[in-house]
Amino acid sequence: MVKRNLGSSTLEVSVVGLGGNNFGGRIDFEATSRVVHKAIEIGINLIDTADSYGPDVSEQLIREALYPYDGILIATKGGLRRPGPGQWKPDGRPEYLRQQGIKSREKLGLKQIGLWQLHRIDPRVPRDEQFSAVKSLQDEGIIRHAGLSNVSVEEIEAASEVFKVATVQNRYNLVDRGSEDVLDYCERHSIGFIPWFPLAAGSLAKSGSILDSVAKAHNATPSQIALAWVLKRSAVMLPIPGTSKVAH
């Protein structure tokens, strides 16, 4: 699979990664293991997850399936709690972010997390305190590269005053382009852009979608066209479609 640098870093990752959100509610290790091993088999070496997927389940399953991660970058996120099904609550207290960074490192079995991203800026906590906590995780060697998720251009600029932003992870796909300004900013500053929801939770992968005619003309599937579109859109694009099925 074609590889791209992770932003301005020297880390090379596959242009398409695998999102681990679908592993969060799974306790079937064998099924998850088959999915991640199939991903590695076809050349994917970027696996994206978060401490809140499960919570705590996705990171554990990834470790059980892939440790010691030979040549694979496990990117994870922190700063978002899951108090209940379908509930997401930002928690940007510095002590919590540090705690979760250390916890993710231990759960994944790593000496250092290659890429850790602030999952959501907590509006209840001064953002500079959250950015300083991320910088501290770097300074202590707990994480190597740091990124942001669900942010605006102004927030990226503010964070960049405190630490080097390696990646930004925002919702983006063929029919949801609300982060065009963020993507353009990332291009100009060599920041990796990781679009979550690249297949719109599967709606762009189904037959009968707006991509049917294009897919047929290219002897491809709608999902392949949707991913090809985002990859063509920008050289810093690193989509992370998720699935729990090997066939996908």
Side-chain angles (χ1 to χ4, degrees):
M1 184 178 289
V2 176
K3 288 185 168 58
R4 288 177 174 170
N5 280 2
L6 184 74
S8 60
S9 77
T10 57
L11 287 176
E12 279 196 335
V13 294
S14 52
V15 293
V16 176
L18 176 67
N21 190 20
N22 286 286
F23 307 150
R26 299 182 65 86
I27 56 174
D28 186 341
F29 166 71
E30 293 300 328
T32 300
S33 182
R34 287 193 294 271
V35 168
V36 294
H37 279 285
K38 182 62 178 180
I40 303 308
E41 178 186 319
I42 63 176
I44 288 173
N45 75 337
L46 169 62
I47 310 294
D48 177 85
T49 185
D51 60 13
S52 57
Y53 296 165
D56 299 320
V57 176
S58 180
E59 290 178 332
Q60 183 64 39
L61 289 177
I62 288 169
R63 176 181 180 173
E64 292 177 10
L66 292 178
Y67 187 83
Y69 317 116
D70 185 25
I72 303 167
L73 175 65
I74 309 298
T76 192
K77 299 180 287 294
L80 201 58
R81 290 181 181 271
R82 290 294 300 278
Q87 298 178 41
W88 302 83
K89 182 180 179 181
D91 190 340
R93 293 171 299 140
E95 61 273 22
Y96 179 75
L97 297 180
R98 184 177 186 279
Q99 165 196 304
Q100 293 305 105
I102 293 172
K103 185 177 178 181
S104 287
R105 182 183 62 175
E106 293 173 349
K107 192 167 284 289
L108 289 166
L110 293 165
K111 291 183 178 179
Q112 183 181 60
I113 296 172
L115 173 63
W116 187 92
Q117 299 155 105
L118 180 60
H119 209 158
R120 193 75 53 86
I121 294 175
D122 186 346
R124 301 168 304 169
V125 179
R127 66 185 185 184
D128 285 349
E129 293 184 12
Q130 299 174 67
F131 299 154
S132 293
V134 177
K135 183 64 165 61
S136 294
L137 287 171
Q138 280 188 311
D139 292 343
E140 294 181 48
I142 296 166
I143 67 175
R144 181 179 178 187
H145 296 288
L148 301 165
S149 183
N150 302 297
V151 288
S152 66
V153 169
E154 191 273 334
E155 288 168 334
I156 301 170
E157 291 175 333
S160 296
E161 294 293 321
V162 182
F163 64 89
K164 184 176 179 60
V165 178
T167 58
V168 167
Q169 188 168 147
N170 277 18
R171 188 171 70 181
Y172 185 86
N173 58 54
L174 175 62
V175 297
D176 184 350
R177 308 182 199 179
S179 286
E180 287 283 4
D181 61 332
V182 173
L183 175 54
D184 289 340
Y185 182 90
C186 288
E187 275 191 316
R188 294 194 302 271
H189 294 84
S190 298
I191 296 172
F193 186 86
I194 303 176
W196 60 270
F197 223 50
L199 298 178
S203 64
L204 291 176
K206 298 175 182 177
S207 59
S209 78
I210 59 173
L211 298 177
D212 266 2
S213 59
V214 179
K216 289 176 182 176
H218 291 276
N219 193 29
T221 64
S223 58
Q224 288 173 323
I225 296 299
L227 291 176
W229 186 89
V230 295
L231 288 170
K232 183 68 174 178
R233 169 64 181 80
S234 173
V236 298
M237 192 79 76
L238 297 165
I240 48 166
T243 184
S244 58
K245 298 179 180 179
V246 171
H248 291 169

